[in-house]
Amino acid sequence: FLTVSGTTFSQTIPDSLKPISQPLVTDIYTADPSAHVFNGKIYIYPSHDIDAKIPEDDVGGHFAMKDYHIFSMTSIPGKAVDNGIALDIKDIPWAGRQLWAPDAAYKNGTYFLYFPVKDKQDVFRMGVATSKSPVGPFKAQPEPIKGSYSIDPAVFTDTDGSSYMYFGGIWGGQLQRWQTGNYNANSKEPAATEPAIGCRVVRLSKNMLEFAEPVKEIKILDENGKELLAGDNNRRFFEGSWMHKYKGKYYFTYSTGDTHFLAYAVGDSPYGPFTYKGVLMEPVQGWTTHHSIVEFKNKWYIFYHDTQLSGKTHLRNIKVTELTHNADGSIKTIVPYVK
Ligand code: FUB
């Protein structure tokens, strides 16, 4: 997660450069913003970063979050209103520690909050909680979603009404331990010349509480149709996926982790394969980069985070800026700091 060969590496930004956007929330630390439009308003489902005084380690132990706050916005730019605690780790019966990046969905009068947290055996699982309000409070189901693992759920509802969960993250996100479909605590990443570990995708059941089918692994191909390799750190999937559909194409976006890019790959099906197309956003200040993409009032936006307020990699702040789809289907690369 944070450490490569024992060396912690965070992106630092020279003083001569200025951020293109300002933190949306300044009184608490927030990260991993998943944004959705419900009833004409923006709702942001972020992680709530805290300083738990846990020393940095190579699997993100210092990201020791314990609850979620949900924010709403009526315009961009505009104020992000804090709607209070929506779910607390103490109210998730099976949870051990580390409430990481969530996402949300709506169906038939119910809002669903999807969240990763380590269970009492220290294995990341995905849970789901429900509410009649987009801002909660949410009530967690008594057990994790059967067959779920790893981190960073992103739920996408297609134009035909089917909902899919994209999930997974390597290193601290434990995805490398699930390469056979079963958990193996000692399993490592593949060799650099082997295909990279893929993000996972699964269609959700009609009640949105379960997986409706076996989990599939997503393939990202290069311009020649070859799978990206595990050693291709600038382009391979690491964590923090998102899906949006634009002009009939499926845009799979994700973090490259240790190379700190947000990248995008395009395909013709929600399951992929996706062809790598480029960098969506250059690295932000801090180690992690995590985003969501949403259309609001005929414009597209990317929600993301950096560490502008704290300068500490585990104390982040959410931001938003506009995203541009070019006429040829590419996305204009966002440079988050400028002269
Ligand atoms: O917030 C904890 C982890 O940091 C997330 O799950 C990752 O995507 C990274 O942003």
Side-chain angles (χ1 to χ4, degrees), residues 279-295:
V279 171
L280 175 69
M281 184 180 258
E282 297 283 355
V284 293
Q285 188 185 10
W287 198 94
T288 67
T289 183
H290 189 121
H291 76 297
S292 63
I293 294 171
V294 68
E295 188 179 19

Side-chain angles (χ1 to χ4, degrees), residues 72-287:
S72 43
M73 295 177 82
T74 50
S75 63
I76 302 175
K79 187 173 162 46
V81 175
D82 185 348
N83 294 284
I85 295 177
L87 180 65
D88 194 299
I89 196 166
K90 70 175 165 38
D91 298 320
I92 305 167
W94 53 272
R97 60 181 183 135
Q98 296 181 293
L99 206 46
W100 282 13
D103 194 17
Y106 169 79
K107 189 170 180 183
N108 296 342
T110 300
Y111 294 87
F112 299 86
L113 180 68
Y114 299 92
F115 56 88
V117 67
K118 282 182 180 162
D119 66 15
K120 298 197 195 301
Q121 286 71 46
D122 238 21
V123 178
F124 269 116
R125 304 277 180 187
M126 231 75 76
V128 55
T130 58
S131 174
K132 290 293 170 196
S133 160
V135 297
F138 282 86
K139 175 138 181 61
Q141 294 289 300
E143 302 285 342
I145 298 174
K146 199 167 169 232
S148 70
Y149 52 88
S150 199
I151 60 166
D152 291 354
V155 175
F156 161 75
T157 299
D158 206 346
T159 30
D160 69 356
S162 307
S163 294
Y164 301 86
M165 182 187 286
Y166 296 82
F167 67 92
I170 59 173
W171 298 16
Q174 303 181 339
L175 190 57
Q176 68 281 1
R177 301 181 182 179
W178 291 94
Q179 289 175 82
T180 62
N182 294 315
Y183 184 72
N184 176 353
N186 300 316
S187 183
K188 304 274 181 273
E189 273 183 271
T193 51
E194 298 287 320
I197 294 175
C199 181
R200 303 300 202 257
V201 60
V202 63
R203 190 164 51 78
L204 295 177
S205 59
K206 287 203 166 37
N207 67 8
M208 302 290 276
L209 299 174
E210 292 163 64
F211 292 170
E213 58 183 6
V215 168
K216 296 180 174 60
E217 185 168 357
I218 288 175
K219 291 193 190 323
I220 306 177
L221 310 177
D222 67 12
E223 61 282 11
N224 301 313
K226 293 236 160 62
E227 268 187 71
L228 294 188
L229 301 180
D232 190 350
N233 300 46
N234 280 327
R235 300 192 296 177
R236 61 96 170 87
F237 167 78
F238 187 98
E239 65 182 3
S241 64
W242 192 257
M243 170 57 62
H244 77 280
K245 197 173 182 181
Y246 180 75
K247 294 196 170 165
K249 295 277 185 195
Y250 295 85
Y251 285 72
F252 175 70
T253 50
Y254 58 96
S255 164
T256 64
D258 55 341
T259 47
H260 315 283
F261 296 112
L262 289 177
Y264 74 105
V266 180
D268 294 313
S269 151
Y271 294 109
F274 302 102
T275 302
Y276 177 87
K277 292 290 180 188
V279 171
L280 175 69
M281 184 180 258
E282 297 283 355
V284 293
Q285 188 185 10
W287 198 94

Side-chain angles (χ1 to χ4, degrees), residues 1 32 47 63 65 100-101 151-152 239-240 288 290 305 316:
F1 189 74
D32 309 323
S47 300
F63 290 86
M65 297 84 105
W100 282 13
I151 60 166
D152 291 354
E239 65 182 3
T288 67
H290 189 121
H305 69 226
R316 300 160 292 180

Side-chain angles (χ1 to χ4, degrees), residues 21-84:
S21 65
Q22 291 301 315
L24 287 171
V25 179
T26 54
D27 57 337
I28 61 172
Y29 293 111
T30 52
D32 309 323
S34 294
H36 291 273
V37 178
F38 297 130
N39 306 319
K41 258 175 137 174
I42 293 266
Y43 290 92
I44 312 166
Y45 299 81
S47 300
H48 174 198
D49 284 353
I50 52 167
D51 197 358
K53 311 278 184 228
I54 294 174
E56 266 183 50
D57 62 28
D58 61 356
V59 288
H62 49 304
F63 290 86
M65 297 84 105
K66 291 181 191 301
D67 64 23
Y68 295 121
H69 287 233
I70 294 162
F71 295 83
S72 43
M73 295 177 82
T74 50
S75 63
I76 302 175
K79 187 173 162 46
V81 175
D82 185 348
N83 294 284

